[in-house]
Amino acid sequence: MPVPNSDDGDRSLTEVITSLLDSIPNLLSFKSKWSSIRAKLADLKTQLSDFSDFAGSSSNKLALDLLVSVRETLNDAVAVAARCEGPDLAEGKLKTQSEVDSVMARLDRHVKDAEVLIKSGLLIDNGIVVSGFSISSKKEAVRLEARNLVIRLQIGGVESKNSAIDSLIELLQEDDKNVMICVAQGVVPVLVRLLDSCSLVMKEKTVTVISRISMVESSKHVLIAEGLSLLNHLLRVLESGSGFAKEKACIALQALSLSKENARAIGCRGGISSLLEICQAGSPGSQAFAAGVLRNLASFVETKENFVEENAIFVLISMVSSGTSLAQENAVGCLANLTSGDEDLMISVVREGGIQCLKSFWDSVSNVKSLEVGVVLLKILALCPIVREVVISEGFIPRLVPVLSCGVLGVRIAAAEAVSSLGFSSKSRKELGESGCIGPLIDMLDGKAVEEKEAASKALSTLLVCTSNRKIFKKSEKGVVSLVQLLDPKIKKLDKIYTVSALEQLVTSKKCRKQVVAAGACLHLQKLVEMDIEGAKKLTENLARSKIWGVFTRP
């Protein structure tokens, strides 16, 4: 039986395969295994014939590497087949069986690799990926490199795939656009399949690539589409991966934990427990990202039971006390999501020392944007009557006032909403007014965002119940005009109930009634009454008591 030389081409390989196919029926040992090998050799022979139809196969490096591997496997197959020609196995049954199994596994891999290479279209490109080819643009060069790497991740041995993923990591670190190009070339499903069978080192690198993809907004949906398959792999990394791998898995899970289905799956599979363990004992980076995943998960009612079972509030409050800035922000955000609508959990936060931790976090934040989660948590906690008193006694009202005037829209809105939550008693409303909340809220009425206008009008409708606050409001030259402008039906998506309520508090004063009418409220109110806006009819009737009503309603 001829053995191919290193200089033999495809024709030699085909001849060797043909010779093996002819000799296998005569082998006496391991007949069933050789029967399977014969089927794989037949498939491989067909694929080598297909290779010859592509001009690119003679210059494509991936094709040439595959042929070298096939040549080595055929050499071994010939040698092993020679030892199986008789019933006696000179080198022992177990050793020979192991060699036969090795040949069969390698042939199976070659058949799959050849199929991937043929379907990839790289051979049609006639060597387009080899060095020296003229490429018209950087984008096209990246596309071709990405396409090449995706194929290399699917064929060849461990070393080849390891080299490919190293190159892929380097390519993705350069630019977000490179990430999008690689995703378009189908890298994500290949990475997920790679996680099924790769070594620990390779798995760590694969998770690194997946985490990088998850950081590009336009590519997240492709990861989410992989569903439970990818999710389960990442959760296993959380349980038993290295510290580095856990951190990268947490980064990826931040993107995957935004849907209810995935959140439920993470909770059911013990993910919350694993994440809380990382929050307690992981590296500073992994703690921050783990808290970010928990923050997403806590926004779904379906996961709250898992948080309670794992005593999550204690862990999260500990992180607010001692974590990095990002870890603290995510932990506070998680507490806000977790306690929303649940008074028992709000009280638990107080019992575990959460109010003191929130105050320390508030006072230490240097970036105002990061304070938003703290303001939101304050707003939520203040909805519980028992907790509200604690919050006020801990001095949060003076802390809230300057936030109403900060330069970050989301923080201002959250602060105005917190004012609404805190102003449920006459004592707290008075304290909020005396602390200086009313002026900034009046300024917010003129904000560009409808959400800001509504939050401010709602807060004012709460505060103006207090007589002393109405006196403060009346000192503003623009307060009444700004409120009246919000009655305009042309301002869409703005709940007029709060504006009407605030004005209702003001028109108890004859002077304010005149100001409200002079500002043009009557025309707007006529339309609001027709729209059946709550309180509009009553406000209209109160304004009708003004002697100048008729002047402003005449055409």
Side-chain angles (χ1 to χ4, degrees):
M1 186 178 294
V3 177
N5 298 318
S6 58
D7 294 332
D8 290 339
D10 294 351
R11 188 183 297 251
S12 300
L13 295 177
T14 304
E15 289 174 356
V16 174
I17 291 174
T18 301
S19 179
L20 276 168
L21 289 171
D22 291 341
S23 66
I24 284 175
N26 300 319
L27 300 180
L28 298 181
S29 299
F30 307 111
K31 287 188 174 183
S32 62
K33 292 182 182 293
W34 281 108
S35 178
S36 298
I37 289 175
R38 193 168 190 270
K40 297 182 189 302
L41 286 169
D43 291 338
L44 189 58
K45 182 179 180 181
T46 301
Q47 290 171 329
L48 291 176
S49 176
D50 292 340
F51 267 39
S52 64
D53 294 334
F54 298 108
S57 64
S58 61
S59 56
N60 185 285
K61 188 178 185 302
L62 295 177
L64 294 174
D65 288 345
L66 176 59
L67 294 177
V68 169
S69 297
V70 169
R71 187 176 293 119
E72 292 172 354
T73 301
L74 290 177
N75 283 340
D76 292 342
V78 170
V80 176
R83 293 199 293 273
C84 293
E85 289 178 349
D88 298 325
L89 301 172
E91 296 192 18
K93 182 177 180 181
L94 290 178
K95 181 180 179 183
T96 307
Q97 181 178 338
S98 176
E99 291 174 341
V100 171
D101 289 339
S102 174
V103 167
M104 184 160 55
R106 288 158 64 188
L107 285 172
D108 182 64
R109 191 186 74 199
H110 296 328
V111 169
K112 291 178 179 177
D113 289 354
E115 183 179 3
V116 169
L117 196 53
I118 290 169
K119 288 183 177 180
S120 72
L122 285 177
L123 302 181
I124 301 174
D125 291 338
N126 193 21
I128 199 166
V129 296
V130 298
S131 60
F133 188 88
S134 177
I135 299 173
S136 59
S137 68
K138 181 181 178 181
K139 181 178 179 180
E140 182 65 10
V142 173
R143 187 187 71 81
L144 294 175
E145 184 178 357
R147 187 179 175 194
N148 191 23
L149 291 173
V150 169
I151 301 305
R152 285 174 58 193
L153 288 174
Q154 298 175 77
I155 68 176
V158 174
E159 290 186 11
S160 174
K161 291 179 180 178
N162 194 55
S163 173
I165 202 146
D166 285 341
S167 298
L168 181 61
I169 291 172
E170 186 177 343
L171 180 65
L172 297 183
Q173 295 299 341
E174 292 178 7
D175 193 343
D176 283 357
K177 292 180 180 178
N178 291 1
V179 174
M180 292 185 280
I181 292 171
C182 288
V183 169
Q185 292 300 314
V187 73
V188 171
V190 173
L191 291 170
V192 175
R193 288 196 297 272
L194 202 57
L195 288 170
D196 287 324
S197 58
C198 62
S199 65
L200 289 177
V201 174
M202 190 70 172
K203 181 171 290 188
E204 187 171 287
K205 292 179 180 180
T206 304
V207 172
T208 299
V209 174
I210 290 171
S211 71
R212 176 69 181 97
I213 293 171
S214 74
M215 297 169 70
V216 179
E217 189 64 37
S218 61
S219 299
K220 288 181 180 179
H221 71 282
V222 183
L223 293 175
I224 293 172
E226 290 298 319
L228 291 178
S229 177
L230 175 56
L231 207 59
N232 288 333
H233 281 300
L234 294 174
L235 291 176
R236 282 194 285 272
V237 172
L238 293 187
E239 294 173 0
S240 58
S242 66
F244 177 80
K246 287 179 180 180
E247 180 173 328
K248 296 303 180 182
C250 286
I251 293 173
L253 283 169
Q254 283 188 116
L256 297 175
S257 56
L258 294 171
S259 73
K260 183 186 293 186
E261 294 76 13
N262 284 351
R264 187 187 295 115
I266 293 171
C268 292
R269 287 164 171 76
I272 290 175
S273 175
S274 298
L275 289 163
L276 288 170
E277 286 181 14
I278 293 172
C279 287
Q280 291 177 295
S283 65
S286 62
Q287 286 181 341
F289 296 125
V293 181
L294 290 168
R295 179 178 176 179
N296 292 342
L297 297 176
S299 62
F300 299 101
V301 177
E302 291 82 358
T303 66
K304 288 197 175 183
E305 186 177 341
N306 301 111
F307 277 93
V308 174
E309 291 174 354
E310 298 295 338
N311 195 24
I313 287 180
F314 171 78
V315 177
L316 292 166
I317 289 176
S318 298
M319 183 170 289
V320 177
S321 300
S322 59
T324 63
S325 297
L326 180 58
Q328 289 179 335
E329 181 180 343
N330 282 331
V332 171
C334 183
L335 286 169
N337 290 336
L338 192 58
T339 55
S340 180
D342 192 321
E343 289 197 358
D344 290 337
L345 290 179
M346 295 179 198
I347 294 171
S348 294
V349 169
V350 177
R351 287 175 178 166
E352 296 289 351
I355 302 300
Q356 288 295 330
C357 286
L358 177 59
K359 188 159 64 171
S360 298
F361 169 76
W362 194 300
D363 293 342
S364 65
V365 168
S366 57
N367 179 6
V368 178
K369 181 70 178 74
S370 299
L371 187 58
E372 183 173 352
V373 290
V375 181
V376 171
L377 178 57
L378 173 66
K379 173 191 74 173
I380 291 169
L381 294 176
L383 291 172
C384 175
I386 298 174
V387 179
R388 186 185 309 132
E389 295 303 319
V390 177
V391 166
I392 293 172
S393 67
E394 288 293 336
F396 274 95
I397 288 178
R399 285 176 168 82
L400 194 59
V401 176
V403 181
L404 290 166
S405 302
C406 76
V408 182
L409 175 63
V411 180
R412 291 200 304 273
I413 293 173
E417 291 171 343
V419 170
S420 299
S421 298
L422 289 167
F424 268 79
S425 69
S426 56
K427 180 181 177 182
S428 62
R429 283 192 287 265
K430 184 176 181 181
E431 186 175 346
L432 284 163
E434 291 175 348
S435 295
C437 284
I438 293 176
L441 288 171
I442 291 173
D443 292 335
M444 288 177 66
L445 294 174
D446 297 327
K448 292 182 179 180
V450 171
E451 295 82 1
E452 181 175 15
K453 295 175 185 290
E454 183 172 310
S457 61
K458 182 178 180 181
L460 286 169
S461 70
T462 299
L463 296 182
L464 293 179
V465 173
C466 177
T467 303
S468 61
N469 287 344
R470 290 198 294 273
K471 291 179 181 178
I472 296 172
F473 185 92
K474 291 172 187 176
K475 293 178 182 178
S476 169
E477 295 180 359
K478 65 175 184 176
V480 170
V481 174
S482 296
L483 271 176
V484 171
Q485 287 176 347
L486 298 187
L487 294 174
D488 190 347
K490 293 179 182 177
I491 302 177
K492 304 296 182 183
K493 298 181 180 180
L494 174 69
D495 195 337
K496 304 290 194 296
I497 292 176
Y498 305 119
T499 307
V500 171
S501 175
L503 289 170
E504 182 66 34
Q505 308 298 330
L506 292 170
V507 297
T508 54
S509 159
K510 183 177 180 180
K511 180 180 177 181
C512 275
R513 280 203 304 273
K514 290 181 178 180
Q515 289 178 330
V516 170
V517 172
C522 301
L523 292 176
H524 294 323
L525 283 170
Q526 288 175 356
K527 295 177 183 177
L528 295 183
V529 170
E530 294 171 4
M531 295 165 62
D532 199 26
I533 299 297
E534 183 180 339
K537 184 176 181 180
K538 183 180 178 182
L539 179 58
T540 301
E541 291 170 351
N542 287 339
L543 290 177
R545 297 173 191 156
S546 174
K547 294 181 180 179
I548 60 172
W549 169 262
V551 174
F552 285 90
T553 55
R554 283 201 302 264

